[in-house]
Amino acid sequence: MKNTSELYKALNERILVLDGAMGTMLQRYNFTEEDYRGERFKDWQYSLKGNNDLLSLTQPGAIEEVHRKYLEADADIIETNSFSGTTIAMADYHMEELVYELNFESAKIARKVCDEFTAKNPAKPRFVAGSIGPTNRTASLSPDVNDPGFRAITFDQLRIAYKQQAEALLDGGSDILLVETIFDTLNAKAALFAIDEIQEERNIQIPIMVSGTITDASGRTLSGQTAEAFLISISHLNLLSVGLNCALGAKQLTPYLETLSKNSDFFISAYPNAGLPNAFGQYDESPEFMAEQIREYADKGLINIIGGCCGTTPPHIKAIADLVKDYEPRKISIKS
């Protein structure tokens, strides 16, 4: 991985800024069913509206524009538009066959824009994180309340699906693989197992970011783990970072980040939502207000990578980037 040494160097020098919400930005385009289909899928027999990953093929200009706006807002790391890019999630649209292409093209778009910004300012290299979401099936919980032992998916099915996605993201130019929004650690373990297989087969070291999601005030993931238990169950791997994203606003995330920071030798990442959603599912926190909440992370020395999840936009990322540039990154034993 050619940019790995630059990535570690940057992490040891400053807090790196991750981008904000792709979905929030894409909503602003108000794409219709026809826009999602484009020319290529105009006769597809199933509805495609809402398949944001598909936009990497049918509206690549929009995806590129969103990446560009986040880079202009000073993001160091850009996530690929591939959150649902597995055969498992794409089955909803009967598009399993497109999975490799979707991920490859998503990574390629992000790579192109990052390279452009790095060329303009080589002192601030930009990195591509291949986004690997949780899928819409869980390996730990039954979807049937009447049959608690039932599972809609097996570990092996998840491993195969994640491996295909990860390979395409790497082939398209990702510097990092980001296993994110983890609500079921067993799913994440399948993804990490698959990535480990790729490392062995290709004889490469892949920087891996792992980001869980605490789903409520009990401080647990959906599959019932505390932040500390989540950390323990993935710590056997050589990870770049571990952290938390989504579900909660910055303030609510603080105690769980403290737990991770205190107990981990990995770099720590956080990308919270812009507060908690209101009654209409919208996020109300302004960029300035959100940045002020994140100041606590920086003051306490909790983070190495910071960004935004649901409801965050380029102005949110800009406000966060402006804030953290004055802070030292969280100190850990130096990795390279």
Side-chain angles (χ1 to χ4, degrees):
M1 305 286 288
K2 66 182 170 83
N3 292 332
T4 302
S5 59
E6 280 192 330
L7 176 62
Y8 278 102
K9 181 174 180 287
L11 276 163
N12 286 313
E13 289 171 353
R14 57 200 169 88
I15 296 172
L16 294 191
V17 177
L18 189 69
D19 61 5
M22 173 62 79
T24 298
M25 294 298 288
L26 290 176
Q27 279 171 5
R28 298 178 169 195
Y29 287 85
N30 292 314
F31 286 134
T32 62
E33 177 71 34
E34 287 65 39
D35 295 324
Y36 274 90
R37 289 170 176 265
E39 189 55 33
R40 179 171 167 190
F41 301 103
K42 70 176 191 299
D43 298 324
W44 200 259
Q45 63 196 98
Y46 304 97
S47 172
L48 297 178
K49 192 174 179 188
N51 185 354
N52 283 352
D53 294 30
L54 182 62
L55 296 171
S56 292
L57 303 185
T58 56
Q59 303 290 340
I63 303 303
E64 187 177 319
E65 186 176 42
V66 173
H67 288 329
R68 198 176 293 282
K69 283 178 175 166
Y70 281 123
L71 288 165
E72 284 164 355
D74 266 355
D76 297 286
I77 304 170
I78 290 295
E79 289 186 60
T80 57
N81 178 42
S82 56
F83 187 79
S84 300
T86 55
T87 48
I88 297 156
M90 281 298 140
D92 287 356
Y93 303 98
H94 303 266
M95 287 191 147
E96 297 94 324
E97 294 299 312
L98 287 167
V99 159
Y100 184 90
E101 186 186 358
L102 284 171
N103 286 282
F104 181 83
E105 291 301 326
S106 293
K108 215 168 116 185
I109 295 167
R111 175 82 275 150
K112 175 193 160 197
V113 193
C114 280
D115 287 350
E116 208 180 286
F117 275 76
T118 301
K120 279 188 220 160
N121 182 7
K124 185 181 167 71
R126 313 297 180 109
F127 304 98
V128 176
S131 167
I132 298 174
T135 85
N136 47 6
R137 298 197 183 177
T138 163
S140 293
L141 305 167
S142 171
D144 182 354
V145 290
N146 299 312
D147 186 359
F150 175 71
R151 296 291 179 270
I153 193 124
T154 66
F155 184 90
D156 216 42
Q157 286 170 323
L158 285 164
R159 177 188 66 80
I160 292 162
Y162 282 129
K163 189 171 182 182
Q164 183 185 12
Q165 182 180 25
E167 286 179 325
L169 288 169
L170 291 170
D171 293 347
S174 298
D175 301 303
I176 301 162
L177 289 179
L178 167 57
V179 182
E180 63 171 324
T181 322
I182 298 162
F183 59 81
D184 181 347
T185 309
L186 193 54
N187 283 37
K189 278 173 153 326
L192 295 168
F193 189 90
I195 294 167
D196 216 27
E197 281 187 324
I198 297 168
Q199 293 190 120
E200 209 166 298
E201 287 163 12
R202 298 190 178 193
N203 195 23
I204 54 172
Q205 274 296 120
I206 303 165
I208 307 164
M209 292 176 67
V210 170
S211 185
T213 188
I214 301 291
T215 47
D216 59 32
S218 71
R220 293 174 182 269
T221 65
L222 192 65
S223 55
Q225 284 187 312
T226 60
E228 195 166 6
F230 166 66
L231 174 65
I232 290 165
S233 55
I234 51 161
S235 285
H236 59 289
L237 280 150
N238 181 25
L239 303 175
L240 174 73
S241 70
V242 65
L244 298 168
N245 74 291
C246 202
L248 301 175
K251 195 169 188 58
Q252 293 84 1
L253 217 52
T254 309
Y256 314 119
L257 279 178
E258 287 178 317
T259 298
L260 293 183
S261 181
K262 192 173 68 192
N263 293 295
S264 177
D265 283 335
F266 303 128
F267 291 113
I268 298 294
S269 72
Y271 48 115
N273 291 348
L276 296 173
N278 62 27
F280 304 102
Q282 302 299 310
Y283 295 86
D284 297 325
E285 279 189 6
S286 69
E288 298 69 31
F289 188 83
M290 186 177 178
E292 207 42 54
Q293 308 281 303
I294 280 166
R295 186 184 296 278
E296 187 178 5
Y297 301 174
D299 282 339
K300 290 182 172 178
L302 301 179
I303 50 167
N304 303 96
I305 300 168
I306 185 72
C309 206
C310 306
T312 59
T313 62
H316 287 86
I317 298 307
K318 180 72 178 130
I320 291 167
D322 287 347
L323 170 82
V324 299
K325 71 177 188 308
D326 299 326
Y327 285 89
E328 290 287 307
R330 170 180 165 272
K331 291 286 173 256
I332 58 166
S333 49
I334 301 299
K335 299 182 168 206
S336 63

